[in-house]
Amino acid sequence: MKPSRREFSSFGYALEGIVASLKTQRHLRFHCVAAVIVIAAAIALSLPVRDMALLLLVIALVLSLELVNTAIEAVVDLAAPEWHHLGKIAKDAAAGAVLVAAIFAAAIGILIFYKPVMHWLGLP
Ligand SMILES: Nc1ncnc2c1ncn2[C@@H]1O[C@H](COP(=O)(O)OP(=O)(O)OP(=O)(O)O)[C@@H](O)[C@H]1O
């Protein structure tokens, strides 16, 4: 079945959201650069397909949560331009979600890259 005009425009709006977030969110830009470096290193070290898949999964998780965090920040700023304790909970929890995913992604990265990097360096 051919995709409808509406589906194309939804895809376009999603891309607009990603571009707008990239323009305004420096943490998202940092995570994108880190993702490119990790993927390039994984290819250079010829990591097994399963490890590559796991890395892509955690990268997708961190970047998606960055986008959700951006959305929550925008909604809070819209709903509560002045300080509000619920706005603080929403923004801090959203930032916390990104932090949790980033910490576990880094741990997974260390577990996956440790042996291949030691081997590449010629260390035991
Ligand atoms: N309307 C608000 N009500 C209550 N606390 C807020 C509000 N806006 C921001 N804060 C507090 O200030 C912190 C920083 O908010 P800010 O909107 O500057 O986001 P940020 O984490 O600096 O994001 P970024 O700089 O990536 O856009 C929040 O995590 C929250 O604790």
Side-chain angles (χ1 to χ4, degrees):
M1 200 167 63
K2 263 174 94 176
S4 67
R5 247 181 113 98
R6 205 189 143 117
E7 280 161 352
F8 273 126
S9 60
S10 299
F11 183 71
Y13 291 136
L15 283 181
E16 275 181 38
I18 293 170
V19 171
S21 303
L22 278 170
K23 282 184 182 164
T24 57
Q25 303 297 314
R26 94 193 129 83
H27 290 135
L28 177 59
R29 290 197 294 274
F30 169 80
H31 280 134
C32 283
V33 172
V36 170
I37 292 169
V38 166
I39 291 168
I43 293 169
L45 291 167
S46 303
L47 292 187
V49 171
R50 276 190 187 194
D51 288 353
M52 294 256 197
L54 189 53
L55 288 173
L56 291 176
L57 187 65
V58 292
I59 286 170
L61 181 68
V62 172
L63 296 183
S64 300
L65 284 175
E66 277 285 7
L67 291 168
V68 172
N69 180 38
T70 306
I72 288 172
E73 276 180 15
V75 171
V76 169
D77 289 342
L78 190 65
E82 303 299 324
W83 194 94
H84 194 289
H85 73 283
L86 291 177
K88 179 168 171 54
I89 290 172
K91 282 195 177 188
D92 291 352
V98 176
L99 183 64
V100 169
I103 288 171
F104 278 88
I108 287 172
I110 290 168
L111 289 173
I112 288 177
F113 276 104
Y114 183 76
K115 268 194 183 170
V117 168
M118 294 299 267
H119 180 74
W120 182 70
L121 293 172
L123 297 170

